[in-house]
């Protein structure tokens, strides 16, 4: 317990005192670069107050689909940039709550609530910011099953107790809810000297989770198996820090975790996307394994079918038995599902540009982040 408290204090100091601007970061792990964004998200991002944007230490934007009217919780909201972008995307009928343990960051975020309320043309604010620990959201007043979506942007790695963070996220999500988050993962268990390194913790590397542990922990707390969305390799670009991490490799990856109970019969189905999600009208890239084009049937495993019909996507899909098969009791068809990509390092390699050596990516996709 004493070590967890020490890590908390050091991370708070790092993000509250040591870092004053994004340029103060000492590694390339959280460098942000432009990437294509839906028009609505790009417009919202351009509307964020300069003071909020300049104190941003995340690694891109974490924007799931179909947000209108949603209640969203941002774990580790920092200066509030992602919250303000999402507050525009959910509309005045939605709501966004940001939680961060660093008082200085929460103060910056709260300072600009009025500015963004007026900028977006809302009568009343649809965003608020709380100071609290991600491992104990109840202490900040967050109730069971109170949010549709939980997001987090390169912050879970800063927690000394990842299981508690995921357990709390599961608790506050409504049935059918989703945790959509980007984070840093490592290729193996980190040595003790890396985990105790103050700068590496602050730079999102010292607390990185071995990617296989994410699958185990997520399912232990009640989520369906994680869905890998995208991944990119992380370069440190700091010789002193590289010498400490040695052979450990790092990758940034975005995952989706759904709070959806099993409902099917363990067979295969076809999913047909009805289209219509703003910014994804003709095509929805659901994860690294499934892309849905409007009106075209796609063979999916029963886990994917359960998620689509048990979450906010239910009205956007038709789920039916696989072609030429006899439905099982649960409505889908028996058969072996196609192997999925689970390893973010494998996906990062697959997504890497061919030809000349690419510019090192940051922690939210092969194109980097804005």
């Amino acid at each position: 317990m004493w070590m967890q408290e020490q890590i908390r204090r050091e991370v708070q100091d790092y993000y509250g005192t040591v870092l004053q601007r994004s340029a103060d970061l000492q590694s390339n792990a959280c460098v942000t670069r432009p990437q294509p964004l839906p028009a609505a998200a790009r417009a919202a991002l351009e509307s964020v107050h300069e003071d909020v944007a300049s104190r941003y230490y995340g690694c891109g934007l974490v924007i799931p689909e179909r947000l209108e009217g949603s209640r969203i919780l941002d774990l580790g909201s920092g200066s509030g940039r992602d919250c303000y972008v999402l507050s525009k995307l959910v509309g005045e009928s939605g709501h966004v709550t940001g939680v961060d343990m660093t008082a200085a960051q929460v103060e910056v975020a709260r300072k600009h609530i009025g500015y963004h309320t007026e900028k977006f043309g809302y009568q009343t604010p649809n965003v608020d910011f709380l100071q609290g620990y991600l491992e104990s959201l109840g202490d900040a007043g967050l109730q069971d099953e109170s949010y549709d979506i939980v997001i987090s942007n390169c912050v879970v790695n800063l927690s000394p107790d990842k299981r508690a963070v995921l357990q709390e996220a599961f608790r506050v999500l409504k049935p059918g809810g989703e945790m959509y988050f980007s984070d840093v993962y490592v290729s193996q268990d980190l040595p003790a000297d890396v985990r105790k390194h103050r700068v590496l913790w602050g730079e999102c590397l010292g607390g990185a989770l071995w990617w296989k542990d994410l699958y185990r922990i997520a399912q232990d707390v009640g989520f369906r198996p994680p869905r890998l969305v995208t991944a990119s390799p992380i370069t440190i670009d700091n010789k002193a820090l590289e010498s400490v991490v040695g052979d450990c490799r790092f990758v940034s990856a975005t995952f989706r975790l759904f709070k959806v109970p099993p409902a099917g019969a363990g067979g295969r189905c076809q999913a047909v996307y009805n289209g219509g999600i703003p910014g994804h009208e003709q095509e929805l890239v659901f994860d690294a394994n499934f892309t849905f084009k409007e009106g075209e049937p796609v063979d999916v495993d029963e886990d994917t079918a359960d998620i689509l019909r048990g979450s906010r996507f239910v009205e956007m899909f038709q789920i039916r038995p696989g072609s030429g098969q006899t439905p099982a009791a649960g409505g889908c068809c028996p058969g072996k599902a196609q192997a999925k990509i689970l390893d973010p390092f494998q996906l990062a390699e697959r997504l890497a540009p061919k030809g000349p050596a690419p510019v090192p990516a940051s922690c939210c996709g092969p194109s980097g982040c804005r």
Side-chain angles (χ1 to χ4, degrees), residues 132 145 191 270:
E145 300 183 355
Q270 283 191 338

Side-chain angles (χ1 to χ4, degrees), residues 43-49 88 112-122:
L45 179 61
E46 291 171 353
S47 298
V48 172
H49 194 283
K88 175 61 174 175
H112 301 290
I113 290 177
Y115 169 87
H116 292 94
T117 301
E118 181 178 352
K119 187 78 172 179
F120 297 151
Y122 296 161

Side-chain angles (χ1 to χ4, degrees), residues 198-343:
R198 180 173 182 265
V199 173
L200 287 173
W201 262 98
E203 299 282 323
C204 303
L205 301 173
L209 191 66
W210 182 32
W211 69 270
K212 290 185 178 181
D213 281 340
L214 172 67
Y215 284 83
R216 176 180 55 81
I217 296 172
Q219 293 176 83
D220 282 350
V221 304
F223 285 110
R224 298 302 289 266
R227 318 289 300 205
L228 175 61
V229 179
T230 190
S232 61
I234 288 177
T235 59
I236 300 176
D237 199 28
N238 181 312
K239 295 299 183 182
L241 297 181
E242 288 171 358
S243 67
V244 178
V245 302
D247 294 333
C248 294
R249 294 181 298 128
F250 296 90
V251 68
S252 69
T254 299
F255 282 94
R256 324 180 75 124
L257 304 178
F258 285 91
K259 185 177 180 177
V260 175
R268 291 179 294 112
C269 298
Q270 283 191 338
V272 182
Y273 176 44
N274 298 327
I277 295 178
H280 310 271
E281 289 84 357
Q282 281 77 48
E283 181 180 270
L284 174 63
V285 180
F286 191 71
D287 60 22
N289 297 286
F290 293 104
T291 294
F292 301 99
K293 296 183 182 297
E294 182 185 12
E296 296 184 7
V298 175
D299 288 331
V300 298
D301 58 280
E302 189 62 32
D303 182 67
T304 303
D306 284 349
I307 288 172
L308 293 178
R309 60 190 167 203
S311 66
R312 69 186 185 281
F313 295 100
V314 60
E315 297 177 359
M316 314 310 298
F317 283 87
Q318 303 172 45
I319 306 297
R320 64 195 190 191
S323 59
Q325 301 287 332
T326 302
C332 289
C333 304
K336 185 177 180 180
Q338 183 177 358
K340 298 178 185 176
I341 302 173
L342 303 177
D343 183 345

